[in-house]
Amino acid sequence: MIGSAVAYAVARRGHAVTLVERFAVGNDRGSSHGPSRIIRLTYQSTDYIALARASLGAWHEVAEAAGERLIVPCGGVDFGPPDATYMNEMRSAMRLSGVPYEEVDRDQIVARYPQLTPPDDATGFFQPDYAMLTADRCVASLAAGARAAGAVVREGERVLGVRPSGGGVLVDTDHGTIAGSSVVLAAGSWVGPLLRDLGLALPLAVLREQLAFFEPADRASFAPGRFPLVLQRFAGSTTLGSIFPLLGSPDGVKMMIDRIGPQIDPDDPPCGVDDVIQQRLLESTFGSVRGLTGRVNAIVQCRYTMAPDEDFILDRHPEHQQIVVASACSGHGFKFAPVLGDVLADLATGRQPTWDIARFRLDRPALKGRWEAHRG
Ligand SMILES: Cc1cc2nc3c(=O)[nH]c(=O)nc-3n(C[C@H](O)[C@H](O)[C@H](O)COP(=O)(O)OP(=O)(O)OC[C@H]3O[C@@H](n4cnc5c(N)ncnc54)[C@H](O)[C@@H]3O)c2cc1C
């Protein structure tokens, strides 16, 4: 995803760019596949809110250029216990950023959305700008837009290593060597080993994530507009439970509880259903919604690449400025892709990024630690 966003930005500026993908663009082995992703303005800091706002605008531009429906507005509700992680920080960041939201208690949530059955102590807010991004189409649109602007897209080719060479780079793949003036390493959950060979041992944790699609009894009541995006928050953890209105395929009400899966090796092959994650989902977020038949239409796995502070890594290599590092996940990078593509294009073409990216630096203290399940 991020690689396609960079190629899109670089090619549209008239620069020559080659996107190298070990599988196919849009594959289901990494972190960007599936029918939907959330784009939201409900963040615990004003800089993320500013990035999310710009990203919403940028996705509209990508959608218009592609002639595709990439954004499905539906509104959203965040709820949790009164001491849920980030809820108060989000309220103050939204107030500072002028993001409209409406405080709601449990009864008000149920009155507005009778499909929801939040826990008794739930409190939260409704925010109207929540929308779903049609994930698979978003990735395809960025890659197609990059191609249309002159990018070369090489699929089924694996990068084995990157070498600084003079002022440029040599990228060794299983098909040969590509020379260039710079490179952006945006290999998702596989970025760690490539960086280690460049002397950067980053404490990135790769987590197995799993989501399920449940059959609703009455489809109309789970359509966008009738049913919101839901983020359930918890105390003492950044884990999120999420529930999505009906959209695309697999069919069904999409639900997940994240950051609870096992740490895995990037090269671990896909595995069968993780019953522990599914059981946790049924014991938690599944209980906050009614009107589902209990039938599971599909279960899909995916990966998070977690930085210790759950912020992205967007920076140049400390010794080789022509090598740019991009790890934009920690479970929330998709929505920002078109803007991060621009930032990374700036870094790769020797320009000063228009965005303040200090919080995403490689030398920040948090990257000396490691990701912990229970934090916040
Ligand atoms: C289940 C789930 C739900 C999520 N929900 C949201 C959400 O609602 N909102 C949101 O904003 N974010 C969300 N995220 C996070 C978001 O999807 C990710 O942050 C984002 O997709 C990461 O993109 P990426 O390009 O870094 O990784 P990927 O899309 O995995 O891309 C990395 C690519 O690099 C390729 N590659 C790897 N190694 C090599 C190599 N050696 N040579 C060549 N190619 C290579 C891989 O094949 C892959 O295609 C979610 C993530 C998951 C898993």
Side-chain angles (χ1 to χ4, degrees):
M1 164 51 138
I2 301 296
S4 296
V6 178
Y8 184 87
V10 172
R12 288 163 70 91
R13 295 178 189 191
H15 297 290
V17 57
T18 300
L19 174 63
V20 184
E21 166 53 62
R22 65 182 286 182
F23 304 117
V25 170
N27 66 80
D28 64 358
R29 302 289 297 274
S31 302
S32 304
H33 55 282
S36 53
R37 293 287 188 275
I38 298 171
I39 184 161
R40 57 184 166 94
L41 303 182
T42 57
Y43 264 91
Q44 60 275 19
S45 62
T46 54
D47 51 355
Y48 269 123
I49 291 178
L51 264 176
R53 253 194 186 127
S55 301
L56 196 53
W59 276 121
H60 279 289
E61 288 166 20
V62 175
E64 196 172 330
E68 279 275 359
R69 181 188 182 219
L70 301 183
I71 305 163
V72 181
C74 51
V77 178
D78 285 63
F79 66 73
D83 57 348
T85 304
Y86 291 147
M87 289 292 263
N88 291 329
E89 290 87 344
M90 286 192 291
R91 288 183 174 98
S92 47
M94 288 193 287
R95 278 197 296 274
L96 284 170
S97 306
V99 173
Y101 69 93
E102 197 185 322
E103 285 290 344
V104 287
D105 63 19
R106 188 194 183 281
D107 295 343
Q108 290 164 321
I109 293 172
V110 174
R112 185 189 288 251
Y113 299 111
Q115 308 95 320
L116 289 174
T117 55
D120 291 343
D121 64 349
T123 173
F125 45 77
F126 173 77
Q127 210 291 315
D129 301 299
Y130 262 95
M132 293 183 285
L133 294 167
T134 54
D136 289 334
R137 283 202 211 146
C138 289
V139 177
S141 298
L142 287 170
R147 274 197 183 95
V152 173
V153 180
R154 293 164 59 151
E155 299 175 279
E157 185 166 357
R158 181 175 185 172
V159 172
L160 304 174
V162 168
R163 294 177 280 144
S165 166
V169 292
L170 295 172
V171 177
D172 300 314
T173 81
D174 53 3
H175 287 34
T177 296
I178 308 167
S181 55
S182 64
V183 63
V184 177
L185 283 173
S189 60
W190 290 271
V191 79
L194 292 170
L195 293 175
R196 267 195 295 282
D197 296 346
L198 289 162
L200 294 175
L202 297 178
L204 298 172
V206 179
L207 301 182
R208 176 186 305 143
E209 297 295 333
Q210 183 173 282
L211 38 119
F213 294 80
F214 294 90
E215 181 65 23
D218 167 22
R219 298 181 60 79
S221 65
F222 286 93
R226 287 276 305 278
F227 188 74
L229 275 163
V230 176
L231 280 185
Q232 180 172 14
R233 297 176 183 269
F234 304 89
S237 160
T238 54
T239 284
L240 290 174
S242 54
I243 314 172
F244 289 63
L246 293 171
L247 181 73
S249 168
D251 187 23
V253 174
K254 172 181 163 181
M255 216 181 291
M256 75 179 287
I257 180 153
D258 70 6
R259 296 168 172 84
I260 60 162
Q263 290 198 28
I264 57 172
D265 181 278
D267 279 324
D268 282 357
C271 67
V273 171
D274 186 315
D275 294 327
V276 176
I277 299 177
Q278 183 63 5
Q279 193 52 37
R280 278 284 300 276
L281 178 64
L282 294 175
E283 288 162 2
S284 58
T285 305
F286 183 78
S288 293
V289 61
R290 63 179 148 211
L292 303 177
T293 64
R295 200 179 87 151
V296 179
N297 292 340
I299 291 186
V300 171
Q301 288 183 344
C302 192
R303 296 151 171 220
Y304 282 6
T305 308
M306 307 299 290
D309 52 7
E310 303 195 6
D311 280 328
F312 309 140
I313 299 171
L314 307 170
D315 205 349
R316 296 187 176 103
H317 188 290
E319 282 130 48
H320 312 293
Q321 297 285 291
Q322 70 276 38
I323 297 177
V324 176
V325 177
S327 180
C329 187
S330 291
H332 67 119
F334 195 104
K335 64 179 75 61
F336 302 109
V339 172
L340 300 186
D342 265 330
V343 167
L344 293 161
D346 289 337
L347 291 174
T349 56
R351 281 167 48 167
Q352 184 55 36
T354 46
W355 283 88
D356 175 1
I357 54 170
R359 83 177 292 156
F360 307 125
R361 293 168 62 101
L362 267 169
D363 61 0
R364 65 185 191 261
L367 292 185
K368 309 265 182 305
R370 64 189 186 87
W371 182 76
E372 303 278 346
H374 293 288
R375 58 187 299 280

